Coordinates of all heavy atoms in Angstrom, one line a residue:
V166 N -34.7 24.3 19.5 CA -35.9 23.6 19.0 C -35.5 22.3 18.2 O -34.3 22.2 17.8 CB -36.7 24.6 18.0 CG1 -37.1 25.8 18.8 CG2 -35.8 25.0 16.9
P167 N -36.4 21.5 18.1 CA -36.0 20.1 17.4 C -35.6 20.4 16.0 O -36.2 21.3 15.3 CB -37.4 19.4 17.4 CG -38.1 20.0 18.6 CD -37.8 21.4 18.6
I168 N -34.7 19.6 15.5 CA -34.3 19.7 14.1 C -34.1 18.4 13.3 O -34.1 17.3 14.0 CB -32.8 20.4 14.0 CG1 -31.8 19.5 14.8 CG2 -32.9 21.8 14.6 CD1 -30.3 20.0 14.5
I169 N -34.2 18.5 12.1 CA -33.6 17.4 11.2 C -32.5 18.0 10.6 O -32.5 19.1 10.0 CB -34.7 17.0 10.1 CG1 -35.8 16.1 10.7 CG2 -34.1 16.2 9.0 CD1 -36.9 15.8 9.8
A170 N -31.3 17.3 10.5 CA -30.1 17.8 9.8 C -29.4 16.6 9.2 O -29.2 15.6 9.8 CB -29.2 18.5 10.9
G171 N -29.0 16.8 7.9 CA -28.4 15.8 7.2 C -27.5 16.3 6.0 O -27.6 17.5 5.6
T172 N -26.7 15.3 5.5 CA -25.9 15.6 4.3 C -26.0 14.4 3.4 O -26.5 13.3 3.8 CB -24.5 15.9 4.7 OG1 -24.1 14.8 5.7 CG2 -24.3 17.2 5.3
N173 N -25.4 14.5 2.2 CA -25.4 13.4 1.2 C -24.0 12.8 1.1 O -23.0 13.6 1.2 CB -25.8 14.0 -0.1 CG -27.2 14.5 -0.1 OD1 -28.0 14.3 0.9 ND2 -27.6 15.2 -1.3
T174 N -23.9 11.5 1.0 CA -22.6 10.9 1.1 C -21.5 11.4 0.3 O -20.4 11.7 0.7 CB -22.8 9.4 0.6 OG1 -23.7 8.7 1.5 CG2 -21.5 8.6 0.7
D175 N -21.8 11.8 -1.0 CA -20.7 12.3 -1.9 C -20.8 13.7 -2.2 O -20.7 14.2 -3.3 CB -20.9 11.5 -3.2 CG -20.6 10.0 -3.0 OD1 -19.7 9.6 -2.2 OD2 -21.4 9.1 -3.6
E176 N -21.1 14.6 -1.2 CA -21.0 16.0 -1.3 C -19.8 16.5 -2.0 O -19.8 17.5 -2.7 CB -21.2 16.6 0.1 CG -22.5 16.3 0.9 CD -23.6 17.2 0.6 OE1 -23.6 18.1 -0.4 OE2 -24.7 17.1 1.2
G177 N -18.7 15.9 -1.7 CA -17.4 16.3 -2.1 C -17.2 16.4 -3.6 O -16.5 17.1 -4.2
T178 N -18.0 15.5 -4.4 CA -17.9 15.5 -5.8 C -18.4 16.8 -6.5 O -18.1 17.2 -7.5 CB -18.7 14.3 -6.5 OG1 -20.1 14.5 -6.2 CG2 -18.2 13.0 -6.0
A179 N -19.3 17.6 -5.6 CA -19.8 18.8 -6.1 C -18.9 20.0 -5.7 O -18.9 21.0 -6.3 CB -21.2 19.1 -5.5
F180 N -18.0 19.8 -4.6 CA -17.3 20.9 -4.1 C -15.8 20.8 -4.1 O -15.1 21.7 -3.8 CB -17.8 21.2 -2.6 CG -19.2 21.5 -2.4 CD1 -20.1 20.5 -1.9 CD2 -19.7 22.7 -2.8 CE1 -21.5 20.8 -1.7 CE2 -21.1 23.0 -2.7 CZ -21.9 22.1 -2.2
G181 N -15.4 19.6 -4.4 CA -13.9 19.3 -4.4 C -13.2 19.8 -5.7 O -13.9 19.9 -6.7
P182 N -11.9 19.9 -5.7 CA -11.1 20.2 -6.9 C -11.0 19.1 -7.8 O -11.1 17.9 -7.4 CB -9.8 20.7 -6.3 CG -9.6 19.8 -5.1 CD -11.0 19.6 -4.5
T183 N -10.7 19.4 -9.1 CA -10.2 18.3 -10.0 C -8.8 18.6 -10.5 O -8.4 19.7 -10.3 CB -11.2 18.3 -11.3 OG1 -11.2 19.5 -11.9 CG2 -12.6 17.8 -10.8
G184 N -8.2 17.6 -11.0 CA -6.9 17.9 -11.5 C -5.7 17.7 -10.5 O -4.6 18.1 -10.8
V185 N -6.0 17.3 -9.3 CA -5.0 17.1 -8.3 C -4.4 15.7 -8.5 O -5.1 14.8 -8.3 CB -5.5 17.4 -6.9 CG1 -4.4 17.0 -5.8 CG2 -6.0 18.7 -6.6
N186 N -3.1 15.6 -8.8 CA -2.5 14.4 -9.1 C -1.4 14.0 -8.0 O -1.0 12.8 -8.1 CB -1.8 14.5 -10.4 CG -2.9 14.6 -11.6 OD1 -3.8 13.8 -11.7 ND2 -2.7 15.7 -12.3
T187 N -0.9 14.9 -7.2 CA 0.2 14.6 -6.3 C -0.2 15.1 -5.0 O -1.0 16.1 -4.8 CB 1.5 15.2 -6.8 OG1 1.4 16.6 -6.8 CG2 1.8 14.8 -8.2
T188 N 0.5 14.7 -3.9 CA 0.3 15.2 -2.5 C 0.8 16.6 -2.5 O 0.2 17.4 -1.8 CB 1.2 14.3 -1.6 OG1 0.6 12.9 -1.5 CG2 1.1 14.9 -0.2
Q189 N 1.8 17.0 -3.3 CA 2.3 18.3 -3.3 C 1.2 19.3 -3.8 O 1.0 20.4 -3.3 CB 3.6 18.5 -4.1 CG 4.9 17.8 -3.6 CD 4.7 16.3 -3.6 OE1 4.0 15.7 -4.4 NE2 5.5 15.6 -2.7
Q190 N 0.5 18.9 -4.8 CA -0.7 19.7 -5.4 C -1.7 19.8 -4.3 O -2.4 20.8 -4.3 CB -1.1 19.1 -6.7 CG -0.2 19.2 -7.8 CD -0.6 18.5 -9.1 OE1 -1.5 17.6 -9.0 NE2 -0.2 19.0 -10.3
F191 N -2.0 18.8 -3.6 CA -3.1 18.8 -2.6 C -2.6 19.8 -1.4 O -3.4 20.5 -1.0 CB -3.3 17.4 -2.1 CG -4.5 17.3 -1.1 CD1 -5.5 18.3 -1.1 CD2 -4.6 16.2 -0.3 CE1 -6.6 18.1 -0.2 CE2 -5.7 16.0 0.6 CZ -6.7 17.1 0.7
Y192 N -1.4 19.7 -1.1 CA -0.9 20.6 0.0 C -1.0 22.1 -0.5 O -1.4 22.9 0.3 CB 0.6 20.3 0.2 CG 1.2 21.1 1.3 CD1 0.9 21.0 2.6 CD2 2.1 22.2 1.0 CE1 1.5 21.8 3.6 CE2 2.7 23.0 1.9 CZ 2.3 22.8 3.2 OH 3.0 23.6 4.2
A193 N -0.7 22.3 -1.7 CA -0.8 23.7 -2.3 C -2.3 24.2 -2.3 O -2.6 25.3 -2.0 CB -0.2 23.7 -3.7
Y194 N -3.2 23.2 -2.6 CA -4.6 23.5 -2.6 C -5.0 24.0 -1.2 O -5.8 24.9 -1.0 CB -5.3 22.3 -3.1 CG -6.9 22.3 -2.9 CD1 -7.6 23.0 -3.8 CD2 -7.5 21.7 -1.8 CE1 -9.0 23.1 -3.7 CE2 -8.9 21.7 -1.7 CZ -9.7 22.4 -2.5 OH -11.0 22.4 -2.4
L195 N -4.5 23.3 -0.2 CA -4.9 23.6 1.2 C -4.2 24.9 1.7 O -4.8 25.6 2.6 CB -4.4 22.5 2.1 CG -5.1 21.1 1.9 CD1 -4.3 20.0 2.7 CD2 -6.6 21.2 2.2
T196 N -3.2 25.3 1.2 CA -2.4 26.4 1.8 C -2.3 27.7 1.0 O -2.0 28.8 1.5 CB -0.9 26.0 2.1 OG1 -0.3 25.5 0.8 CG2 -0.9 24.9 3.1
D197 N -2.6 27.7 -0.3 CA -2.5 28.8 -1.2 C -3.8 29.5 -1.5 O -3.8 30.5 -2.3 CB -1.7 28.5 -2.5 CG -2.5 27.6 -3.5 OD1 -3.7 27.3 -3.1 OD2 -1.9 27.2 -4.4
G198 N -4.9 29.1 -0.9 CA -6.2 29.9 -1.1 C -7.0 29.3 -2.2 O -8.2 29.7 -2.3

């Protein structure tokens, strides 16, 4: 059936982590749950 579907540009500010300062920390965020 026909739909309207959309998102907001900065959705990530509501769902992303804070306090990630290094690539190693980002990698851990992705792999450790």
Side-chain angles (χ1 to χ4, degrees):
V166 295
I168 62 169
I169 287 176
T172 46
N173 299 350
T174 299
D175 300 316
E176 300 273 7
T178 62
F180 299 106
T183 57
V185 174
N186 296 302
T187 67
T188 295
Q189 291 72 25
Q190 289 175 338
F191 187 20
Y192 179 79
Y194 170 80
L195 296 170
T196 57
D197 67 5

